[in-house]
mmCIF file with all atom_site columns, all heavy atoms in Angstrom:
data_model
loop_
_atom_site.group_PDB
_atom_site.id
_atom_site.type_symbol
_atom_site.label_atom_id
_atom_site.label_alt_id
_atom_site.label_comp_id
_atom_site.label_asym_id
_atom_site.label_entity_id
_atom_site.label_seq_id
_atom_site.pdbx_PDB_ins_code
_atom_site.Cartn_x
_atom_site.Cartn_y
_atom_site.Cartn_z
_atom_site.occupancy
_atom_site.B_iso_or_equiv
_atom_site.pdbx_formal_charge
_atom_site.auth_seq_id
_atom_site.auth_comp_id
_atom_site.auth_asym_id
_atom_site.auth_atom_id
_atom_site.pdbx_PDB_model_num
ATOM 1  N N   . PHE X 1 58 ? 17.046 -37.449 34.858 1.00 69.00 ? 58 PHE X N   1
ATOM 2  C CA  . PHE X 1 58 ? 16.400 -37.536 33.554 1.00 69.00 ? 58 PHE X CA  1
ATOM 3  C C   . PHE X 1 58 ? 17.496 -37.741 32.520 1.00 69.00 ? 58 PHE X C   1
ATOM 4  O O   . PHE X 1 58 ? 18.625 -37.272 32.697 1.00 69.00 ? 58 PHE X O   1
ATOM 5  C CB  . PHE X 1 58 ? 15.634 -36.235 33.275 1.00 69.00 ? 58 PHE X CB  1
ATOM 6  C CG  . PHE X 1 58 ? 14.541 -36.363 32.247 1.00 69.00 ? 58 PHE X CG  1
ATOM 7  C CD1 . PHE X 1 58 ? 13.285 -36.836 32.603 1.00 69.00 ? 58 PHE X CD1 1
ATOM 8  C CD2 . PHE X 1 58 ? 14.772 -36.018 30.924 1.00 69.00 ? 58 PHE X CD2 1
ATOM 9  C CE1 . PHE X 1 58 ? 12.279 -36.960 31.664 1.00 69.00 ? 58 PHE X CE1 1
ATOM 10 C CE2 . PHE X 1 58 ? 13.765 -36.133 29.983 1.00 69.00 ? 58 PHE X CE2 1
ATOM 11 C CZ  . PHE X 1 58 ? 12.515 -36.608 30.353 1.00 69.00 ? 58 PHE X CZ  1
ATOM 12 N N   . PRO X 1 59 ? 17.212 -38.454 31.408 1.00 71.00 ? 59 PRO X N   1
ATOM 13 C CA  . PRO X 1 59 ? 18.233 -38.591 30.356 1.00 71.00 ? 59 PRO X CA  1
ATOM 14 C C   . PRO X 1 59 ? 18.740 -37.226 29.894 1.00 71.00 ? 59 PRO X C   1
ATOM 15 O O   . PRO X 1 59 ? 17.971 -36.268 29.791 1.00 71.00 ? 59 PRO X O   1
ATOM 16 C CB  . PRO X 1 59 ? 17.480 -39.315 29.237 1.00 71.00 ? 59 PRO X CB  1
ATOM 17 C CG  . PRO X 1 59 ? 16.397 -40.062 29.923 1.00 71.00 ? 59 PRO X CG  1
ATOM 18 C CD  . PRO X 1 59 ? 15.984 -39.208 31.087 1.00 71.00 ? 59 PRO X CD  1
ATOM 19 N N   . THR X 1 60 ? 20.025 -37.146 29.602 1.00 74.00 ? 60 THR X N   1
ATOM 20 C CA  . THR X 1 60 ? 20.664 -35.867 29.298 1.00 74.00 ? 60 THR X CA  1
ATOM 21 C C   . THR X 1 60 ? 21.135 -35.818 27.845 1.00 74.00 ? 60 THR X C   1
ATOM 22 O O   . THR X 1 60 ? 21.593 -36.819 27.301 1.00 74.00 ? 60 THR X O   1
ATOM 23 C CB  . THR X 1 60 ? 21.879 -35.647 30.231 1.00 74.00 ? 60 THR X CB  1
ATOM 24 O OG1 . THR X 1 60 ? 21.434 -35.691 31.587 1.00 74.00 ? 60 THR X OG1 1
ATOM 25 C CG2 . THR X 1 60 ? 22.535 -34.304 29.955 1.00 74.00 ? 60 THR X CG2 1
ATOM 26 N N   . VAL X 1 61 ? 21.014 -34.650 27.243 1.00 73.00 ? 61 VAL X N   1
ATOM 27 C CA  . VAL X 1 61 ? 21.529 -34.423 25.891 1.00 73.00 ? 61 VAL X CA  1
ATOM 28 C C   . VAL X 1 61 ? 23.036 -34.600 25.899 1.00 73.00 ? 61 VAL X C   1
ATOM 29 O O   . VAL X 1 61 ? 23.738 -34.076 26.779 1.00 73.00 ? 61 VAL X O   1
ATOM 30 C CB  . VAL X 1 61 ? 21.148 -33.006 25.405 1.00 73.00 ? 61 VAL X CB  1
ATOM 31 C CG1 . VAL X 1 61 ? 21.907 -32.645 24.144 1.00 73.00 ? 61 VAL X CG1 1
ATOM 32 C CG2 . VAL X 1 61 ? 19.653 -32.909 25.162 1.00 73.00 ? 61 VAL X CG2 1
ATOM 33 N N   . GLN X 1 62 ? 23.551 -35.332 24.906 1.00 73.00 ? 62 GLN X N   1
ATOM 34 C CA  . GLN X 1 62 ? 24.976 -35.652 24.866 1.00 73.00 ? 62 GLN X CA  1
ATOM 35 C C   . GLN X 1 62 ? 25.781 -34.638 24.059 1.00 73.00 ? 62 GLN X C   1
ATOM 36 O O   . GLN X 1 62 ? 26.802 -34.141 24.505 1.00 73.00 ? 62 GLN X O   1
ATOM 37 C CB  . GLN X 1 62 ? 25.160 -37.053 24.253 1.00 73.00 ? 62 GLN X CB  1
ATOM 38 C CG  . GLN X 1 62 ? 24.469 -38.162 25.023 1.00 73.00 ? 62 GLN X CG  1
ATOM 39 C CD  . GLN X 1 62 ? 24.988 -38.300 26.439 1.00 73.00 ? 62 GLN X CD  1
ATOM 40 O OE1 . GLN X 1 62 ? 26.199 -38.248 26.662 1.00 73.00 ? 62 GLN X OE1 1
ATOM 41 N NE2 . GLN X 1 62 ? 24.085 -38.470 27.397 1.00 73.00 ? 62 GLN X NE2 1
ATOM 42 N N   . ASP X 1 63 ? 25.322 -34.332 22.831 1.00 71.00 ? 63 ASP X N   1
ATOM 43 C CA  . ASP X 1 63 ? 26.074 -33.453 21.929 1.00 71.00 ? 63 ASP X CA  1
ATOM 44 C C   . ASP X 1 63 ? 25.488 -32.043 21.983 1.00 71.00 ? 63 ASP X C   1
ATOM 45 O O   . ASP X 1 63 ? 24.632 -31.665 21.173 1.00 71.00 ? 63 ASP X O   1
ATOM 46 C CB  . ASP X 1 63 ? 26.021 -34.006 20.502 1.00 71.00 ? 63 ASP X CB  1
ATOM 47 C CG  . ASP X 1 63 ? 26.985 -33.286 19.561 1.00 71.00 ? 63 ASP X CG  1
ATOM 48 O OD1 . ASP X 1 63 ? 27.594 -32.288 19.991 1.00 71.00 ? 63 ASP X OD1 1
ATOM 49 O OD2 . ASP X 1 63 ? 27.111 -33.722 18.402 1.00 71.00 ? 63 ASP X OD2 1
#
Side-chain angles (χ1 to χ4, degrees):
F58 201 83
T60 302
V61 168
Q62 300 299 317
D63 190 353

